[in-house]
């Protein structure tokens, strides 16, 4: 049997893209959650399912927590330092499954 050859990805252009690639790899390998990665300048966007978007900046990872601030009626976002893509993957996976349960 031949060994499986993985395609080589181009090196990330920015720190945010590198972090997003790590986050994407953790989501795929550890949680079997597919995602799409898009980059634009210093921001990377990871699209997880239809309704969950994760913004990755050079210094932080940010996504919608699903909660609303009662005082201001605005969305509350969850943020982690960009150096924690594995931890972020676990939290994003939890939010992804929460959305799926809510949508039925």
């Amino acid at each position: 049997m031949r060994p499986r050859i993985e395609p080589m990805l181009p090196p990330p252009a920015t720190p945010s893209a590198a972090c997003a690639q790590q986050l994407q790899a953790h989501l795929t390998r550890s949680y079997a959650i597919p995602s799409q990665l898009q980059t634009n300048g210093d921001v990377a966007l990871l699209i997880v399912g239809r309704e969950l978007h994760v913004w990755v900046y050079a210094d932080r990872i940010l996504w919608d927590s699903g909660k609303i601030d009662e005082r201001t009626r605005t969305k509350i976002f969850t943020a982690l330092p960009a150096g924690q893509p594995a931890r972020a993957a676990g939290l994003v996976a939890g939010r992804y499954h929460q959305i799926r349960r809510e949508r039925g």
Side-chain angles (χ1 to χ4, degrees):
M1 186 193 280
R2 298 174 105 183
R4 183 175 174 179
I5 299 173
E6 296 289 331
M8 290 184 61
L9 296 174
T14 63
S16 59
C19 179
Q21 284 179 352
Q22 290 175 353
L23 176 58
Q24 185 178 39
H26 283 294
L27 284 170
T28 302
R29 289 185 190 131
S30 300
Y31 303 98
I33 297 175
S35 59
Q36 294 177 343
L37 176 60
Q38 298 178 0
T39 60
N40 186 4
D42 292 336
V43 179
L45 174 64
L46 203 57
I47 302 169
V48 185
R50 291 179 141 165
E51 299 178 14
L52 181 56
H53 298 100
V54 181
W55 292 270
V56 182
Y57 299 90
D59 62 340
R60 67 189 181 283
I61 303 167
L62 186 73
W63 65 94
D64 178 7
S65 70
K67 299 175 185 170
I68 301 289
D69 182 321
E70 295 298 325
R71 186 175 52 84
T72 62
R73 304 263 189 233
T74 57
K75 289 183 178 185
I76 297 173
F77 288 84
T78 302
L80 283 179
Q84 299 181 10
R87 183 171 175 225
L91 295 172
V92 168
R95 177 69 179 125
Y96 171 79
H97 290 299
Q98 178 187 19
I99 291 170
R100 291 190 62 175
R101 281 192 303 273
E102 290 171 358
R103 302 292 183 230

